[in-house]
Amino acid sequence: MGKRGSWCCWEYLVIILLFFSMQWKGRNCQRQTKEALPGFKIEAPAEVTVQRGLCVLIPCNFTVGPGYTLTKDAIGIWNKINGPVAASTDSSQFSDTTNGRFIFTGKVSAGDCSFSISDAQPGDTDQYWFRLEDKYPLKFTYVGIKPSVSVTDLKEPDISPTKDLIAGEEVTVTCTAPTHCPGLSPTFTWEGSVNTENTQNNKLRHQDGNFTYWSNITFTPSPSDHNSSLTCTVTYKHGSATTSITLNVIYLPILNITVPGGTGERSNVSIKEGDSQEIYCKVNSNPMANISWTKGKIPVENTKQNGQKLTLLLKNVTENDTDIYTCTAQNQRGINNRSISVSVEYAPRQPTICVDKPEGNTVCLAAGNITVPAESALTLQCVAKSNPPANFSWIQSNPFNKHSGNRALMVQVLNDIEYTCQAENKYGLSNISIIIIVTPAQKPQTNLLIVGLCILFFTLVLTTLVFVYRGMRKKKDLQEDTTTKEMPKSDGDVIYNNVENMKSYSNESYINTEGEKPDKDDLYMNYEKELQYASLNFSKIKPMEAPQTEIIYSEVKRN
């Protein structure tokens, strides 16, 4: 009984489905037949696409056949397979399966059957048809065009500009939402390595009632932002969309000089003489740069390039390789460079000894002997090229003595002696020896010559004075003899002559040849001066007898 009852039920259900199927086909045929009537036409897009969570407006226009007139009470209804979704009248009489997301926007009495979908959901994907209901007998279903609505995922927002950004120059990037629906203002979110704090959201209403939504972000890119991502996310009520761009930042070359096995950038490197060394110049730039090495200002050809790394190859280095090496990189944004100091280290070269001699001159010797007077105070200087600088020491022979740590050595030599200078660093040792030969001290001859010349000079002066004195003496004696011969014999004559001479001398002394009257003091002085030549000698005069009759007076007047 159970199995038979079940079979009966299935048969009943099949019969019902066949009945409804026949009814549906009949109705379709009827609609097709009715739409074929003259004048009943509809214009609407056959396919419509809407993004999930967004909105779409489906424009629609229809006409009715001749003999029919649309009244203000005409009703338009949009349906899909499971029932009506939007109506031009009070929709409360229809079951709401869309939560009010479908809205009849057209005016039926004017032949406008447009409707819109907002916050589209995947379940809205379907075919829709329009039905017109007006006063009897005007009731018609338009099935010639049944718009097919497809709900797709949200499109990515647009980000601009995507052109090259300049490092250090401020830029504003815009993210535009993929919707024009009113009332669906989205939320914008920015993510990336740049500063995302300076953002601003905007919207613009168009004349057709649609809106444009966008967000701006302002930042200053740096070289480190090159090839990084900048992401804009637009979020709606039931979904979100994301767009990412890769920043293309143009910037000056950034250089980094390193050596194999080293850590970090190097500004100097030391190489042992005879060794080889590679020096890397790594360049970070956009766009790629041209790279070159120079030694001082001379280009270096011994290089090897691998992408944006140019390697300087120093092989079997010598002292001449010591210099400043510069790596230069240049692109369309400009030029930049970095330098490294290369120092070639080697053992001390053959030293040289410089001797400050007593005469004040300096003699430099690579080897050999030097002769100096006994008890000479000397300064010995030892010079030797080396890198790193050498430590110096002196070795004295006979007696043996060693002086360490001094480049200069002060000595006083008494006998022949040998000194050896040693120059030493971590790479080796070099030395040089000189022999100092002592000569006997010589008496200075210059002083004896000067003394001899002085004696000769004084001798000549003394001889000359003697001859002059003798000549003057002889002349004086001759004058005295002449005076004696001319003197009178009598005493009175002597007195008279002397007095007369004195008077004569006095008068001549005060004769003014120019007619001027002599000054009194001058006369007095001249008079006293001339008295020294007047002499009165009474020793040989015999006493005279006093005259009896006449007294003779001698008067000397002085004016």
Side-chain angles (χ1 to χ4, degrees), residues 72-73 139 240 386 440 467:
K72 62 179 181 178
D73 297 325
K139 292 184 180 181
S240 62
S386 65
F467 278 106

Side-chain angles (χ1 to χ4, degrees), residues 353-375:
I353 295 179
C354 294
V355 182
D356 294 337
K357 299 185 70 176
E359 296 84 7
N361 59 335
T362 300
V363 178
C364 294
L365 304 172
N369 305 332
I370 186 171
T371 302
V372 298
E375 300 184 0

Side-chain angles (χ1 to χ4, degrees), residues 4 21 143 150 216 221 251 255-256 273 285 287 292 307 312 331 364 382-383 415 420 485 514 524-525 539 551:
R4 187 174 181 180
S21 176
V143 294
S150 299
N216 290 335
Y251 54 93
L255 290 76
N256 187 25
E273 188 175 34
S285 68
S292 62
L312 173 64
N331 65 4
C364 294
C382 188
V383 180
N415 302 301
T420 300
K485 290 179 179 180
E514 296 181 0
Y524 177 75
M525 291 177 64
S539 59
I551 299 173

Side-chain angles (χ1 to χ4, degrees), residues 433-452:
S433 298
I434 63 168
I435 298 175
I436 301 176
I437 299 175
V438 177
T439 59
Q442 298 179 357
K443 294 182 180 180
Q445 299 178 356
T446 303
N447 294 337
L448 293 177
L449 178 61
I450 293 174
V451 172

Side-chain angles (χ1 to χ4, degrees), residues 167 228 270 276-277 303 320 395 398 408 515 530 543 559:
S228 66
S270 297
S276 299
Q277 179 70 57
T303 59
N320 293 331
I395 298 176
N398 193 26
E530 296 300 332
N559 294 326

Side-chain angles (χ1 to χ4, degrees), residues 313-324:
L313 305 174
L314 299 177
K315 297 181 179 180
N316 193 22
V317 297
T318 66
E319 180 184 355
N320 293 331
D321 293 316
T322 296
D323 212 319
I324 301 296

Side-chain angles (χ1 to χ4, degrees), residues 121-401:
Q121 301 298 313
D124 298 333
T125 300
D126 212 326
Q127 273 192 329
Y128 297 82
W129 62 87
F130 175 66
R131 178 173 173 78
L132 172 63
E133 293 185 0
D134 202 350
K135 291 182 177 180
Y136 184 83
L138 184 54
K139 292 184 180 181
F140 191 81
T141 300
Y142 293 81
V143 294
I145 296 178
K146 294 190 290 184
S148 178
V149 176
S150 299
V151 179
T152 63
D153 292 334
L154 276 172
K155 291 182 179 179
E156 296 178 350
D158 294 328
I159 296 181
S160 63
T162 58
K163 63 180 181 180
D164 298 338
L165 308 180
I166 307 300
E169 295 184 8
E170 189 177 77
V171 64
T172 297
V173 176
T174 301
C175 177
T176 304
T179 181
H180 300 283
C181 301
L184 291 181
S185 181
T187 300
F188 292 90
T189 304
W190 290 94
E191 294 178 348
S193 63
V194 300
N195 183 7
T196 59
E197 295 180 357
N198 189 12
T199 61
Q200 184 179 11
N201 298 335
N202 306 276
K203 67 178 180 179
L204 176 64
R205 187 180 188 277
H206 301 283
Q207 291 182 353
D208 60 1
N210 292 327
F211 285 79
T212 298
Y213 304 92
W214 73 94
S215 177
N216 290 335
I217 179 172
T218 302
F219 61 93
T220 301
S222 66
S224 61
D225 297 321
H226 178 60
N227 283 334
S228 66
S229 295
L230 179 61
T231 301
C232 175
T233 301
V234 181
T235 303
Y236 298 94
K237 183 178 180 180
H238 295 101
S240 62
T242 298
T243 296
S244 295
I245 62 171
T246 299
L247 299 180
N248 184 31
V249 182
I250 296 178
Y251 54 93
L252 274 170
I254 301 174
L255 290 76
N256 187 25
I257 295 180
T258 59
V259 297
T263 57
E265 187 174 8
R266 296 290 293 273
S267 60
N268 57 77
V269 63
S270 297
I271 312 170
K272 183 181 177 182
E273 188 175 34
D275 288 353
S276 299
Q277 179 70 57
E278 292 185 350
I279 302 176
Y280 303 142
C281 179
K282 297 179 180 179
V283 178
N284 177 17
S285 68
N286 184 39
M288 294 182 64
N290 295 321
I291 315 171
S292 62
W293 277 101
T294 56
K295 176 185 178 183
K297 295 183 179 180
I298 302 174
V300 179
E301 301 296 336
N302 195 20
T303 59
K304 179 178 66 176
Q305 187 161 2
N306 181 14
Q308 288 285 273
K309 181 176 78 173
L310 186 64
T311 302
L312 173 64
L313 305 174
L314 299 177
K315 297 181 179 180
N316 193 22
V317 297
T318 66
E319 180 184 355
N320 293 331
D321 293 316
T322 296
D323 212 319
I324 301 296
Y325 292 81
T326 301
C327 179
T328 302
Q330 183 176 10
N331 65 4
Q332 69 182 48
R333 283 293 297 160
I335 188 170
N336 205 352
N337 59 65
R338 296 301 295 269
S339 297
I340 183 171
S341 175
V342 174
S343 176
V344 178
E345 297 185 339
Y346 50 90
R349 308 297 192 211
Q350 178 67 31
T352 299
I353 295 179
C354 294
V355 182
D356 294 337
K357 299 185 70 176
E359 296 84 7
N361 59 335
T362 300
V363 178
C364 294
L365 304 172
N369 305 332
I370 186 171
T371 302
V372 298
E375 300 184 0
S376 294
L378 306 177
T379 299
L380 309 181
Q381 294 275 356
C382 188
V383 180
K385 291 181 61 178
S386 65
N387 188 24
N391 294 319
F392 293 91
S393 60
W394 291 90
I395 298 176
Q396 169 189 316
S397 64
N398 193 26
F400 177 83
N401 194 6

